[in-house]
Structures are given as C-alpha cells and as structure tokens.
Amino acid sequence: MKRDLVSIDDLSSGEIAALFRTVDEMAARPREWTHLAQGAILASLFYEPSTRTRLSFEAAMHRLGGGVISAADMRSSSAAKGETLADTVRVVGGAYADILALRHPAEGAARVAARYASVPVVNAGDGSHEHPTQTICDLYSLYAEKGRLEGLDVVLSGDLKYSRTVHSLAYALARLRANVVLIPHRGFEMPEYVLRRLRERYGNEPQRLEADDFRSIAGRADAVYFTPQRPHQLSLFTEANRVAVAKLDALYVTRPQQERFTEGEAAPPVRIDREALSGARFKDTFVMHPLPRVNEISYDLDQDPRSLYFKQAARGVPVRMALLAFLLGRLDLGAEAPAPEPTAEAVRGRLGMACPNPTCITNLESHYLEPEYVVVSRSPLTASCTFCEVAVAPVLVGCASTRVFHRHNSGDVRRIKAEHLVLFASEEQARGSGFAAAGRP
Amino acid sequence: MKRDLVSIDDLSSGEIAALFRTVDEMAARPREWTHLAQGAILASLFYEPSTRTRLSFEAAMHRLGGGVISAADMRSSSAAKGETLADTVRVVGGAYADILALRHPAEGAARVAARYASVPVVNAGDGSHEHPTQTICDLYSLYAEKGRLEGLDVVLSGDLKYSRTVHSLAYALARLRANVVLIPHRGFEMPEYVLRRLRERYGNEPQRLEADDFRSIAGRADAVYFTPQRPHQLSLFTEANRVAVAKLDALYVTRPQQERFTEGEAAPPVRIDREALSGARFKDTFVMHPLPRVNEISYDLDQDPRSLYFKQAARGVPVRMALLAFLLGRLDLGAEAPAPEPTAEAVRGRLGMACPNPTCITNLESHYLEPEYVVVSRSPLTASCTFCEVAVAPVLVGCASTRVFHRHNSGDVRRIKAEHLVLFASEEQARGSGFAAAGRP
Amino acid sequence: MKRDLVSIDDLSSGEIAALFRTVDEMAARPREWTHLAQGAILASLFYEPSTRTRLSFEAAMHRLGGGVISAADMRSSSAAKGETLADTVRVVGGAYADILALRHPAEGAARVAARYASVPVVNAGDGSHEHPTQTICDLYSLYAEKGRLEGLDVVLSGDLKYSRTVHSLAYALARLRANVVLIPHRGFEMPEYVLRRLRERYGNEPQRLEADDFRSIAGRADAVYFTPQRPHQLSLFTEANRVAVAKLDALYVTRPQQERFTEGEAAPPVRIDREALSGARFKDTFVMHPLPRVNEISYDLDQDPRSLYFKQAARGVPVRMALLAFLLGRLDLGAEAPAPEPTAEAVRGRLGMACPNPTCITNLESHYLEPEYVVVSRSPLTASCTFCEVAVAPVLVGCASTRVFHRHNSGDVRRIKAEHLVLFASEEQARGSGFAAAGRP
C-alpha cells in the first residue's frame, strides 16, 4: 500500500526517530545516495508560489539520483483552464511521476490529492492546514541541537491561526512529549480544531499566553519583550505576569500569513531582536523560523549562535532526501507504521451543509467533491471536516431514512444510524432538502 | 535530414504502426530505456500555459535518460521583450537543445519553428491548428483497446472549430480508414480547411450531425442524448433523425476552447454522462477526451469501464518516449517516411494580401515572415496559407511581371506564371501596390 | 576560497585566455564532459525574465552531468512574500545548490549575493550594471573569428546607458587592449562610472561619436548610416565628420533596454541593415548583438557572413560549461587569479546618505543593507558605491568621532580618519544625524 505524507501523523514516532538517523547520514555524506531514486521521477505541483520548499524537494530528488518535473505556477496553467485538482493528480500522479509534492492554497487539498493519485503524495503545505515536511526539518533541527525532544519547552509565537507549520509542529511536539507554549498575536490564536486534536489525540493542553505576557516571562530584573517596530505599539506589551517559564528551549517565530488574511485582519508590527532575548531564561533558547521571514526577526540575530533558522532551512535537503526515499519505498526505516486510527462515524453526501470553512478544498472544488465529516460527539452532535478538520456544528440533524430532522442537541439524534446522518446549517436548508420537522407521535 | 513533427501527416502510416509496437514495449517496461537519449537535451518552449503536455514530454525525456531545459511561460520572458519566435528557436533549437517541444497560440507557429530550428521540432499544439502528439496518444489508446483502427466508427464532438486535437485526429482517422462522424456544437463546426484536406488528401467525407441529432441516434426506445446542464437547454435536442449509426466505437469529447473564442461566441453547457450512454449502441463506446476537461464529461463516468480519458493521458509518456527517441534519431522504426507531397504552386512575397486568419503566425510576426500560399485551384483562383492552412480567396490576382491585375475568376489568371502570382484582397490594395487593371488590347 | 563571477574583472586575462582553449574543446566535443559536474547542482535564480541566458546556463550544467534547480520567476515566489535577496541566497546558495546563477533588476545584487552565499555566485545580469558571462561569449566569438583581441577596433553602439552587456565588454576590451569606439543613442551615453573605470583601471579613453557621426565615418563616396525606420527620422543623421575610422572589426549593437527607461526616455527607431554596412570599411566588420534583438538589426543581415549574433548565442553553452566547471573547482585553468585590488578607503554605515542610484540594491533592500562607498578622491571628496559603482558626490562630509561636518571640498576633510568618514547629501541630513557645522577654534 502506498504511503502518503499529508499530516505529520502519517509518520509514527518510531519512523520519525529512524528518519533522524538517516538524515544524519545523508547530511554527512550528501553525494552518496544517487542510487536511491535512480529512475524515479518527482513531480512538483505548486499552486502557491514558493522557492525554498520547491527547490529543496527538487535538490533532494537530484541528490537521490532521480528526475524532476516541475510546475511552479499551477494557478496559471491547467488550473486556469478549469481543471480540477483530482483530474490533475490522477494523471500526473499516476502515469507521469512516481511521487508528488503538492502545495495548494486550500485546506484539505493534499488529502484529496492522496485519494486520487496512485503514487505517494507529499503535502508541501495545504492552505493554513499542515506542512509536515517542514515539521520534520524543525524537529530534526531541535533534536540535532538539544539531543532530545521530550520535555523541551517550546514557544510557538506569532500567527498561529494561518501558519500551517506551527499546526503540524504542535501535533508532533505534543506526541513526542515536548511542552508547548503558545504566544499568538492577538486575533491569530491557534484554531480550535488544532487545540482539540492536541487534547484528544495526545492529551496535551498547551500553555497559552497573550503576546503581552511574553515581556514579563523573565521578571522585572530580566526584562524580555518583543520589540515593537513603532514606539506607539509599546502599549501592546503590558506588565501582566500570569505565567512563569523557567527557561525556554526554543522560540518558534512565524511570518504573518498576510496572503490568507480576511478583510480587517492585520498583524502587529512585532519583531524579535537580540535585546528581547537578553534574559537568563533565553540563554539557551534557539530562535526558529520556517522562513521566509519578513520583519519578525531582526537581522542582528543572524550571527547569534542561538539563531537556528538558517540551519533549519539547510536541513531541508537531507530531510526531504530521507522522506522521498522512504515514501518511494527505496528506504526501509525498520520501524512500524502508525496504527490505523480508530474508525469514527462518517457523514458523507451532497445532502446537507457544506463545510463552514470557505477555503476548504470541498468548497473550492465542490462540483465533484462531497462534504465529508467525522462525528466527534452525538450529543450535541458535533463533527469535523474530513479534509480541513474544522469543527462543524450543525443546527439540525436529519435522518436520510425517515426524512425527519431534529435539533442538534435532541436526544433523538443518538438514535439515527450513522449512515443516515445528514447535517443541516439551518431549518431552511433542511426543508429545502425535503426533510420535515420531527413530529410528536 | 532532420525530421519534425508539425502535422500528424509528418508520420507515415507505417511509422505510426511501428511506433505502436515501440510504445507497447515502453509502456510495459518504462525504466529500461535510459540509454536512448543519453546526453541529449529537450527544450520545452511553451508560449501557452500547459501542465499535462509539458510534464509528459519532460517525464518522457527523463525516462529516456536525457536532460530537460524548460520554459513554461515564454510569453513573459524573451517574448515579452519582443523577440520573435524565429530568433528564439534559432538559438534554443540550435545550440542549446537537441530537440524542441513547442506550444504556441498562433496557428502555423510550429511550421515556422521547424524552418528556423536546426534540430527537430515537435508541435505540442499551435493555436487551433494541430496537436499531433496528442493524436498519437489517442490513436494508440483506441488501437490498444479495439485492436484495430480501420473501420472503427468514431464521433468527434463539441468544439470542432478551435480544438486542435480533433483536427489532427480527423486526418489520422481518415488516413487509417476509420469512419469519422462529426457532431459539433452549433457554431463550432469543423473548419472548411480541415474538411477540404480530409476530402482531397484522403477522399474522406465525414458524416456530419447537429448536436440535436445525437439524441436520436439510438431511436426512441433507446434514447441517447447529451445532458444539458440547465433544463431550459433541452430545446437544443430535437427529434430529428437524419442519420443512423449502428454502434459507436468511440465518442471523442472536447473542451470548449474558450481562450480562443471571439466576442459573442459561447459554448452550450452540454455534458456527457452515464445516462447519455445507456443505449445499446453505446455498449462498447469508449469515451475519449484530450483533457483537461471542465464540465463536458460527468464525473459519474470516471469509474465506467468505457471511460478512456485517463488511460489516454497515462499513455502520453510512453508515446512521447517513442516519438522523442525516433525524432532524435535514436530509434529506427524500420518503416518508410511519408512520401514527399506533390509540389504545389506557391505564392510568396510581401506584395499582396495578408493571411485572412488574424491569429496566423504570419500576421502576429509579420515583420519578418512573408505571407505564403499554396494554390489550390486556378479558376477561380483559391489558395491556402502554407502556415495555418486556412482558405484564401483573393478578389483580384496580379502578375508581378506585367503589374496588371485580373478578377480572381478571370480566364487570364491561368496564364500568369506561378512565380509571378500576387493575391489581392481588394482593388484598393492592388492599386496601392502599383498594379493596374487589365486593359483591352 | 570560493570564486565568484560578479564582474568581468573577477577573471584574470590569463584565465580568460585559458578559458578560451577549454571552450574550443568543449564546443568541438560537447558530449564528453559529463564527468565534470557529476553530483553538483546549479540553482538558477531569475528575478527578471529571461529565456536564453537561463536555458544556456541550464543546458551547460546538463552537458557537464550536473543537476539543475530552477526558479524562473523569483519576483512572484519568495520575493513576493517579502523575502530579501540575502536570505534567499543564504539558503539556496548554501544548502541546496553548489553554484548559483543570479539575474536581478537591481544594480549590485550579484555582489550582495556573493557576500551572503557560501557557494560561487555567477552574475547573469544585475540591472544596468554588468553581465560578465555574456562578455566571455562576446570575447570568445571575436577571438574565434579574428584570432586575436588586441588592437581590434570595436564599436559599441545604441543604448550604452542601460545595456549591462556593453559595460562588462568595454572593461574587458580595454583590458585586453582592443580599441573601443562608443556610438551611443543620444541620451543613452556610457555612464560616467564606466568611463572612469576604463580610464583609471586600464588607462583607456574610448573614442566617442554621436550616432549622427556614424554615417560619415566612411566619407561621402562610401556612405554609411544607421537606417532610420521612419523617413522623418532621417534628420537624426547629419553630415558631421569629426572622426575617422579606417576600418571596423566589429559593430556591437544593443537593444534599447526599455524596461529600465525612466519617464520621458525613448529610444530612436534606428536599425542596422545591409545597406548601412555596404562601405569598404565594413567589409570585415562583424555585427554583434547579445540578443534578444527587437528592431535594431534588420533581418536581411541574418544570412550575411558578417552577422555574428547567432554564433555568439550558440557559444553560450560551451562558454558557460567552461565557466561553471571552473567556478565549481572541477577545472584547473592553470592561470593565475586576478591580483587583489589595492585596498581603498571604505565608508560604511547607516549614518549619512543613501546611494544616489534609486535602483541600487542598497536602496531596494535597505532594511538590512548599509550603504557602502569607496573613496575615489579626498579633495573634493568623491566616492563610488561598492555595489552599483555609481559616483557619489556628497555635499558635506562628517567625522563620526567629532560629530562635525565640513563642505566636501574643505581641506579639513583630508584630516578625517577613513573609519570616521560620513557622507551627507545635504546639511539637513547632517544636522538630522546629530552633526554640527565645523566651527572656528
């Protein structure tokens, strides 16, 4: 069976550990692996602009001795003629290439591609959702510097809403038992669906601070703060002192993902610099960033030994070499694959509500993709989108067999068979689909 | 002498048959041919967006062990600075690469490239004109499924005006003695110049139906129809029953080439689905499409064993492997090349009328390309453009030696020597070029 | 130590001569060098559109057996997200690739890239500044045809202001003791900084003619002129006869670099054709052009044996093969590297004036790049930008130690230590930086 890398959870912890050992070897002798992908072809399908990620995949494939076919600007080629993602990957990810690296602006796009392609699909970033290969670079960099991941204190800061890299990273850190501290920009908090997955899958409840708190982590004598770029922004940083952190192993900074902002959203002009990290608690704090940075990290940190971002990026090639070789079936990691997830109740079909996330792939390519949900709870009924994972809270729940609908928190909902569940966003939608209110018997 | 593939007629029937045997072998063992293009370089020059075609050429070259240099967006590179196609291919198709794959929005562009490049040129689509490598994929797919091409009944449907794939395919089917049935969208009929070539070169007169007729092919008890996407479009499909088709071997569906539409042109929202193909006559009808599709073929056909479009696309790589290896001179097909066409009278020169096709390459790059016509008939004088093949009907015909012009249907036209022929679109043009009306002696 | 090719002066004359011998061999047997870059990767980073240059670099790398990763449209990928050139090359030119080919619209960009990349950087054109690999093609072509460079009479004509190719070529011709004649379009004269470098480094003072003069070079009986494309432009060409040239070895024609024009600049519609070159003095004159041409050279010259431009372009691949192999350290030229330039006084730092060239990389990426000047003279103080080389004439000169400023031509300026020099464009700027006027003691 083919292996895809859509979510970081598609790799078991054992596989991640084994990958690290392979990356060590590949980084040490980068030119000795040209036998591994001999005769294989990687297709880069990039629906969003990228240089670093695409070039690192392609450099990795070259180092493995494979061939590369590259579509750097899919938006203006077949997609411009109206071709669906499914059609594209069925052809390119079947007959043309032996493995696909896909970047796409819609959440869930990589999951769709993995279903339709007959070859392994690597998610090189799907909207605000996940970016698992970056996470392996991040984890490997931390591991290489700190010698372990378990028990590390890692701050994820900035745009936690739209930054896909911190989503995948949070899952992995939680699973590998690091401590995750969140310091989002105001209005850019970690999405609920990420927090729920952290809680439900890994029992992890990350510490959450406001950006204001960061200044006070180290106390008065040892002031630590984000440097605002304009003086009048100082008011962002108050003296609140609600959380104490003894020391930090890593501070992960993110670029405000302005290309995904909705109207009215604006990132605060905050920048990390040497002064911000002058406190004792930051003595051994690695500053990480997935790059490209804009202004979040001052250039004065580039020469600081705690800056890890260029090393992270440099490791992109050996990490992706190991991943490509593994997914192509040319590298045996000797570790068990992840256990299959317990089968959850699924809701499928054209009837009922669309995914509430407007940039979910099911909304952007709705002419062939049906909404598909996983039931999280029966009372009240809540679910999440199979593709983009956002929470789905129907107002009404119907039974496709009786054509009757109930309120989402009605006890009757529990009696509907899973295969008959239909979720509605409104009574109007339910009645428009030919469903009637549950009557009294 | 170098071999180009500008038109499907650049391959003899024997060569096509021999190619099929090679494609069989290459498809069966795709990784065993890396010796064939060792050291050779393919240049992809794409002046129109494309993913599938470009990537399949490039994947094919990788499978042959060759190198690839790729310009996916020529419109915004050298062409943006005003460089001509001729200059570009003289350099790239001379010193940089050993073979060129060219896609261009102007009809006749591939012919121009073949003249100026010193290496073989493969036409990867020139405007609405031809797309011969797609045709080899189409023919090979039909042949692989049906075991023969001769005598097959093949419907070409949809946008027959702008769809270059059906032009090349119609020529090949006619030559290989399949029966061609045309069912164009209204207003998108097969161009006259294609019909003339079918008639004159292959003695083929395709059956022509209106889209309305398709419904009635199978008779009342066995209704067959294109499914209109909106109910009020049903009126498109009347009960006319002028043609009877016993059974169909293939139904070739095309995407309305909206990017080539002129103002006022609009494609009807017609879609083929399972129901349309439920009649007995369609039991063994393969549904073909060059992809990308938009809405012409319902997704419910994707799992139907009669759907051939993904297989067509999948065969793009082995087909192009065989073609590239052949054109590079690395594969001996053991078949005779096409006989040279009988020499026709040619009209060349800056004097006289421009090609009436506004998207002909001679009009788009008129500063160095002269109009060039082949005389079809002397009385009245008709001709066709050497590059885009559209019919040219001059109003007046001049003699460059006597500087006298005649009406196009004058008996005097027959006495003008071929090298003195000048075609004029109007008397004003003739007089402006210094020609005078033929006087009485 | 790594070798970059930012300026043509990064190669010694001995190295250029040795390169020529290698190019001879590579051009003669282009397929025998695949061992030279085995396992190495070239990254093409193109911030400006290009086909020819990019494809020739990539074809060269394929011929050397290396791999290629290619970013043909950097403006719309990482750069669109706001990433700096420095960050991009630190990653791509460190961990991903073994050598970088960079094209960028800002003067000085290649110098910046060379500083930040840990691998060799090849300047594939930086704004209007330099284009050294084109110059090697040009020199090699001249050498191959004429058998020498010393003493040749070479005219550089057209847009000498923005055409980077003629800047690099003028330096090389001067150094190799050819005679350089300049015939710029009016308003597009060779920049002062180029003339100064010709004078100061090579003792070369090129002959300068107006475009008007060209016509009269050969005298009345043997008229020579640029052909204006519209009759009313004839007035451009007067009968002035101020310069006599006995014969010309080469006429280098340039495309008006319209993409760099500022408002109000317009190139005259001048074109070289066979008639213009009919005089005896042009019997052995090679017509050169870096391509793409637009209308500067008539198509009627293409078949003329004196036209050298397609041969120049054809030589792009073997020339770049030799250069890449050399810079990668895989080819020993057996020649001495250029002597280090004598250390000049440098002025660095954020205080003081910005480079007066608005398209200098230091102005486009000012958030991390500091202005940096080389002192040319102390009285009055003049300097040149380290990156784009334009002349810098401060109004005032400050001493960072005393915080006092002087007029640029004051004798006191000579007494300021080099490391304390600060250049100001205005008194307002000096006072705004906290400097005071020099007082009387």
Side-chain angles (χ1 to χ4, degrees):
Chain A
M1 205 187 74
K2 73 165 174 148
R3 290 289 298 271
D4 300 299
L5 181 54
V6 170
S7 165
I8 186 66
D9 287 348
D10 290 337
L11 293 170
S12 71
S13 301
E15 286 172 337
I16 291 174
L19 271 172
F20 285 179
R21 289 189 294 274
T22 305
V23 176
D24 283 341
E25 293 174 39
M26 287 178 161
R29 302 186 308 280
R31 301 228 170 115
E32 295 180 13
W33 311 89
T34 51
H35 56 290
L36 277 180
Q38 203 70 257
I41 294 175
L42 162 72
S44 301
L45 296 181
F46 276 64
Y47 289 78
E48 279 193 323
S50 161
T51 305
R52 188 181 323 286
T53 304
R54 182 173 64 81
L55 295 187
S56 73
F57 269 107
E58 297 180 8
M61 195 64 178
H62 284 297
R63 296 265 188 241
L64 295 174
V68 176
I69 56 179
S70 184
D73 186 15
M74 287 294 292
R75 286 168 307 173
S76 67
S77 57
S78 271
K81 296 183 192 168
E83 179 164 64
T84 63
L85 176 62
D87 276 13
T88 299
V89 302
R90 255 187 290 209
V91 175
V92 179
Y96 295 3
D98 301 294
I99 190 164
L100 289 189
L102 176 82
R103 169 161 293 189
H104 200 282
E107 289 83 32
R111 179 72 62 203
V112 168
R115 281 201 187 172
Y116 283 92
S118 59
V119 302
V121 169
V122 188
N123 182 0
D126 61 328
S128 304
H129 187 228
E130 286 214 42
H131 193 350
T133 65
Q134 178 65 45
T135 291
I136 302 290
C137 297
D138 297 341
L139 295 173
Y140 178 76
S141 291
L142 260 180
Y143 181 82
E145 304 294 332
K146 294 284 188 180
R148 64 187 170 104
L149 293 171
E150 191 173 338
L152 294 185
D153 293 298
V154 179
V155 167
L156 307 180
S157 74
D159 178 357
L160 306 187
K161 179 176 179 186
Y162 294 114
S163 176
R164 52 198 171 203
T165 60
V166 294
H167 301 169
S168 297
L169 181 57
Y171 301 141
L173 290 173
R175 170 148 58 107
L176 301 168
R177 281 172 292 194
N179 304 316
V180 177
V181 181
L182 308 179
I183 311 187
H185 289 319
R186 211 165 287 185
F188 295 92
E189 287 79 20
M190 193 69 100
E192 272 309 306
Y193 80 85
V194 176
L195 296 173
R196 192 182 63 232
R197 184 163 147 190
L198 289 173
R199 189 186 316 119
E200 295 183 355
R201 275 205 211 170
Y202 321 109
N204 185 291
E205 196 75 58
Q207 289 185 302
R208 297 189 230 182
L209 287 81
E210 303 264 319
D212 311 30
D213 305 328
F214 191 58
R215 179 168 185 181
S216 57
I217 289 176
R220 188 165 304 269
D222 195 355
V224 172
Y225 46 87
F226 285 81
T227 302
Q229 294 179 244
R230 287 193 296 272
H232 68 268
Q233 294 288 342
L234 267 168
S235 58
L236 273 176
F237 303 92
T238 65
E239 289 291 321
N241 195 345
R242 285 167 289 183
V243 174
V245 175
K247 59 135 195 53
L248 283 179
D249 292 295
L251 171 64
Y252 198 97
V253 185
T254 53
R255 180 179 65 86
Q257 308 282 304
Q258 307 223 20
E259 65 275 27
R260 305 195 202 287
F261 285 6
T262 56
E263 217 186 306
E265 288 187 324
V270 165
R271 180 156 51 168
I272 304 287
D273 59 14
R274 287 186 67 119
E275 199 187 335
L277 301 179
S278 57
R281 284 193 175 88
F282 297 98
K283 203 168 83 60
D284 299 315
T285 303
F286 284 108
V287 180
M288 304 178 74
H289 193 293
L291 300 187
R293 68 172 154 179
V294 183
N295 280 312
E296 312 82 49
I297 297 183
S298 172
Y299 280 78
D300 72 4
L301 271 167
D302 291 1
Q303 307 307 324
D304 191 297
R306 295 169 296 180
S307 74
L308 202 56
Y309 32 94
F310 288 123
K311 281 193 188 173
Q312 279 168 273
R315 281 151 177 161
V317 174
V319 161
R320 290 186 175 96
M321 286 169 69
L323 284 170
L324 290 173
F326 168 63
L327 295 169
L328 281 166
R330 309 280 182 105
L331 175 71
D332 184 1
L333 290 177
E336 292 224 9
E341 286 183 47
T343 316
E345 290 181 346
V347 182
R348 278 195 195 83
R350 294 218 163 268
L351 275 178
M353 65 188 288
C355 175
N357 171 12
T359 55
C360 175
I361 186 74
T362 59
N363 286 314
L364 296 180
E365 305 214 343
S366 61
H367 46 304
Y368 71 97
L369 287 175
E370 299 188 349
E372 195 177 310
Y373 306 109
V374 176
V375 174
V376 170
S377 154
R378 277 287 188 131
S379 69
L381 196 137
T382 55
S384 71
C385 173
T386 304
F387 297 98
C388 77
E389 298 189 71
V390 302
V392 176
V395 171
L396 302 174
V397 180
C399 171
S401 165
T402 62
R403 309 299 280 188
V404 157
F405 63 75
H406 310 269
R407 296 212 61 77
H408 72 291
N409 52 3
S410 156
D412 295 331
V413 165
R414 301 201 194 183
R415 286 189 292 274
I416 304 173
K417 281 192 184 168
E419 64 266 33
H420 293 158
L421 283 170
V422 186
L423 313 187
F424 293 113
S426 68
E427 186 169 331
E428 188 187 354
Q429 187 183 45
R431 294 198 184 273
S433 304
F435 283 64
R440 300 285 132 106
Chain B
M1 206 187 73
K2 73 165 175 148
R3 290 288 299 268
D4 301 299
L5 180 55
V6 170
S7 165
I8 186 67
D9 285 348
D10 291 336
L11 293 170
S12 71
S13 302
E15 286 173 336
I16 291 174
L19 271 172
F20 286 0
R21 290 189 294 273
T22 305
V23 176
D24 283 341
E25 294 174 39
M26 286 179 161
R29 303 186 308 281
R31 301 227 171 115
E32 295 180 13
W33 311 89
T34 50
H35 56 290
L36 278 181
Q38 203 72 256
I41 294 176
L42 162 72
S44 301
L45 296 181
F46 276 63
Y47 289 79
E48 279 193 322
S50 161
T51 304
R52 188 183 322 287
T53 304
R54 182 173 63 82
L55 295 187
S56 73
F57 269 107
E58 297 180 9
M61 195 64 178
H62 284 298
R63 297 264 187 243
L64 295 175
V68 175
I69 56 178
S70 184
D73 186 16
M74 286 295 291
R75 285 167 309 173
S76 67
S77 56
S78 270
K81 296 183 193 166
E83 180 164 65
T84 63
L85 176 62
D87 277 12
T88 299
V89 303
R90 253 186 291 209
V91 175
V92 179
Y96 295 3
D98 301 294
I99 191 165
L100 290 189
L102 176 83
R103 169 162 293 189
H104 199 284
E107 290 83 31
R111 180 71 64 203
V112 168
R115 281 199 188 173
Y116 283 92
S118 59
V119 303
V121 169
V122 188
N123 182 2
D126 62 327
S128 304
H129 188 228
E130 286 215 41
H131 192 351
T133 66
Q134 178 65 44
T135 291
I136 301 290
C137 298
D138 297 341
L139 295 174
Y140 178 75
S141 291
L142 261 180
Y143 180 82
E145 304 294 333
K146 294 284 188 180
R148 64 187 169 102
L149 293 170
E150 190 172 342
L152 293 185
D153 291 299
V154 179
V155 167
L156 306 180
S157 74
D159 177 357
L160 306 188
K161 180 177 179 185
Y162 294 115
S163 176
R164 51 197 171 205
T165 60
V166 295
H167 300 169
S168 297
L169 181 57
Y171 301 141
L173 290 173
R175 171 148 58 109
L176 301 166
R177 280 171 293 193
N179 303 316
V180 178
V181 181
L182 308 180
I183 311 187
H185 289 320
R186 211 164 289 183
F188 295 91
E189 287 78 19
M190 193 69 100
E192 272 309 306
Y193 81 85
V194 175
L195 296 173
R196 191 183 63 231
R197 183 162 147 190
L198 289 173
R199 189 185 317 120
E200 296 183 355
R201 274 205 210 169
Y202 322 108
N204 185 291
E205 196 74 57
Q207 287 185 301
R208 299 189 228 181
L209 288 81
E210 304 263 316
D212 310 33
D213 305 327
F214 191 58
R215 178 168 185 179
S216 58
I217 288 176
R220 188 164 305 269
D222 194 356
V224 172
Y225 47 87
F226 285 81
T227 302
Q229 292 178 243
R230 288 194 296 274
H232 70 268
Q233 294 291 339
L234 267 168
S235 59
L236 273 177
F237 304 93
T238 66
E239 290 290 321
N241 195 344
R242 287 167 287 182
V243 174
V245 175
K247 57 128 197 57
L248 283 180
D249 292 295
L251 170 63
Y252 198 97
V253 185
T254 52
R255 180 179 66 84
Q257 308 282 305
Q258 307 222 20
E259 66 275 29
R260 305 195 201 289
F261 285 7
T262 56
E263 217 187 307
E265 288 187 324
V270 166
R271 181 157 51 170
I272 305 288
D273 58 15
R274 286 186 67 117
E275 198 187 336
L277 300 180
S278 56
R281 283 192 177 90
F282 296 99
K283 203 168 81 59
D284 299 316
T285 303
F286 284 109
V287 180
M288 305 179 73
H289 193 294
L291 301 184
R293 68 171 155 180
V294 183
N295 280 312
E296 311 82 49
I297 297 183
S298 172
Y299 280 80
D300 73 4
L301 271 168
D302 291 1
Q303 307 307 323
D304 192 296
R306 294 169 297 180
S307 74
L308 201 56
Y309 31 96
F310 289 122
K311 280 194 189 173
Q312 279 168 272
R315 282 154 176 158
V317 174
V319 161
R320 290 186 176 97
M321 286 169 70
L323 284 170
L324 290 173
F326 168 63
L327 295 169
L328 281 165
R330 309 278 182 107
L331 176 72
D332 183 2
L333 290 176
E336 292 223 8
E341 286 184 48
T343 314
E345 290 181 346
V347 181
R348 279 195 195 84
R350 293 216 163 268
L351 275 179
M353 64 188 289
C355 175
N357 171 12
T359 56
C360 175
I361 186 73
T362 58
N363 286 313
L364 297 180
E365 305 214 343
S366 61
H367 46 304
Y368 71 97
L369 288 175
E370 298 188 348
E372 194 177 312
Y373 306 108
V374 176
V375 174
V376 170
S377 154
R378 277 286 188 132
S379 70
L381 196 139
T382 57
S384 70
C385 174
T386 304
F387 297 98
C388 76
E389 297 189 72
V390 301
V392 176
V395 172
L396 303 173
V397 179
C399 171
S401 165
T402 62
R403 310 298 279 187
V404 157
F405 63 76
H406 310 269
R407 296 211 61 78
H408 71 290
N409 53 1
S410 156
D412 295 330
V413 166
R414 301 201 193 182
R415 286 189 293 273
I416 303 173
K417 281 192 186 171
E419 64 266 32
H420 294 157
L421 283 170
V422 185
L423 313 187
F424 293 112
S426 68
E427 187 169 331
E428 189 187 351
Q429 187 182 46
R431 295 198 184 275
S433 305
F435 283 63
R440 298 287 134 106
Chain C
M1 207 187 71
K2 73 164 175 149
R3 290 289 298 270
D4 301 299
L5 181 54
V6 170
S7 165
I8 186 66
D9 285 348
D10 291 337
L11 293 169
S12 71
S13 301
E15 286 172 336
I16 291 174
L19 272 172
F20 285 179
R21 289 189 294 272
T22 306
V23 176
D24 283 341
E25 293 173 38
M26 287 178 160
R29 302 185 309 281
R31 302 229 169 114
E32 294 180 15
W33 312 89
T34 52
H35 56 289
L36 278 180
Q38 203 72 256
I41 294 176
L42 162 73
S44 300
L45 297 181
F46 276 64
Y47 289 79
E48 279 193 323
S50 161
T51 305
R52 189 184 321 285
T53 304
R54 181 173 63 82
L55 295 187
S56 72
F57 270 107
E58 297 180 9
M61 195 65 178
H62 284 299
R63 296 263 187 243
L64 295 175
V68 176
I69 56 178
S70 184
D73 186 16
M74 287 293 294
R75 285 167 308 172
S76 66
S77 56
S78 272
K81 296 182 191 166
E83 180 164 65
T84 63
L85 176 62
D87 277 13
T88 299
V89 303
R90 255 186 290 208
V91 175
V92 179
Y96 295 4
D98 301 295
I99 191 164
L100 290 188
L102 176 83
R103 169 162 293 189
H104 200 283
E107 290 83 32
R111 180 71 64 201
V112 168
R115 282 202 188 172
Y116 284 93
S118 60
V119 302
V121 169
V122 188
N123 182 2
D126 62 328
S128 305
H129 188 228
E130 286 214 41
H131 192 350
T133 65
Q134 178 66 45
T135 292
I136 301 291
C137 297
D138 297 341
L139 295 175
Y140 178 76
S141 291
L142 262 180
Y143 181 81
E145 304 294 334
K146 294 285 189 181
R148 64 186 170 103
L149 293 171
E150 189 173 339
L152 294 184
D153 292 298
V154 179
V155 167
L156 308 180
S157 73
D159 178 356
L160 306 188
K161 179 177 180 185
Y162 294 115
S163 176
R164 52 198 171 204
T165 60
V166 295
H167 301 170
S168 297
L169 182 56
Y171 301 140
L173 290 173
R175 170 149 57 109
L176 300 167
R177 280 171 292 190
N179 304 315
V180 178
V181 181
L182 308 180
I183 311 187
H185 289 320
R186 210 166 289 185
F188 296 91
E189 287 78 20
M190 193 68 98
E192 272 309 305
Y193 80 86
V194 176
L195 296 173
R196 192 183 61 232
R197 183 161 147 191
L198 289 172
R199 190 185 317 121
E200 295 183 356
R201 275 207 212 168
Y202 321 109
N204 185 292
E205 198 74 57
Q207 288 186 299
R208 299 189 228 181
L209 289 80
E210 304 263 317
D212 311 33
D213 305 328
F214 190 58
R215 179 169 185 179
S216 57
I217 288 176
R220 189 165 304 272
D222 196 355
V224 174
Y225 46 87
F226 285 82
T227 303
Q229 293 178 244
R230 289 193 297 274
H232 69 268
Q233 295 289 343
L234 267 168
S235 58
L236 274 176
F237 303 93
T238 66
E239 290 289 323
N241 196 342
R242 286 167 288 182
V243 175
V245 175
K247 57 133 194 56
L248 284 179
D249 292 295
L251 171 63
Y252 198 98
V253 185
T254 52
R255 179 180 65 84
Q257 308 281 306
Q258 308 222 18
E259 65 275 29
R260 305 196 201 289
F261 284 6
T262 55
E263 219 187 305
E265 288 187 323
V270 165
R271 180 156 52 169
I272 304 288
D273 59 14
R274 287 186 67 117
E275 199 187 337
L277 301 180
S278 56
R281 284 193 176 88
F282 296 99
K283 203 169 82 61
D284 298 313
T285 303
F286 284 109
V287 180
M288 304 179 73
H289 193 294
L291 301 185
R293 68 170 155 179
V294 183
N295 280 311
E296 311 83 49
I297 296 184
S298 172
Y299 280 80
D300 73 3
L301 270 167
D302 292 1
Q303 306 308 322
D304 191 297
R306 293 169 297 178
S307 73
L308 202 57
Y309 32 95
F310 290 122
K311 281 194 189 173
Q312 279 168 273
R315 282 153 175 160
V317 173
V319 161
R320 290 186 175 96
M321 286 170 69
L323 283 171
L324 290 172
F326 167 62
L327 294 168
L328 282 165
R330 309 279 183 106
L331 176 72
D332 183 2
L333 290 176
E336 292 223 9
E341 285 184 48
T343 314
E345 290 181 345
V347 181
R348 281 195 194 82
R350 293 219 163 269
L351 276 178
M353 65 188 289
C355 174
N357 171 11
T359 55
C360 175
I361 186 74
T362 59
N363 286 312
L364 296 180
E365 305 214 343
S366 61
H367 46 305
Y368 71 97
L369 287 175
E370 299 187 348
E372 194 176 311
Y373 306 108
V374 176
V375 174
V376 170
S377 155
R378 277 285 186 131
S379 69
L381 197 137
T382 56
S384 70
C385 173
T386 305
F387 297 97
C388 77
E389 298 190 71
V390 302
V392 176
V395 172
L396 303 174
V397 179
C399 171
S401 166
T402 61
R403 310 298 279 188
V404 158
F405 65 75
H406 310 270
R407 296 213 59 78
H408 71 289
N409 52 3
S410 155
D412 295 331
V413 165
R414 298 200 196 183
R415 286 189 291 272
I416 304 172
K417 280 192 184 167
E419 63 265 34
H420 293 158
L421 283 170
V422 185
L423 313 188
F424 293 112
S426 68
E427 186 169 331
E428 189 186 353
Q429 187 184 46
R431 296 199 183 273
S433 304
F435 283 63
R440 300 284 134 110

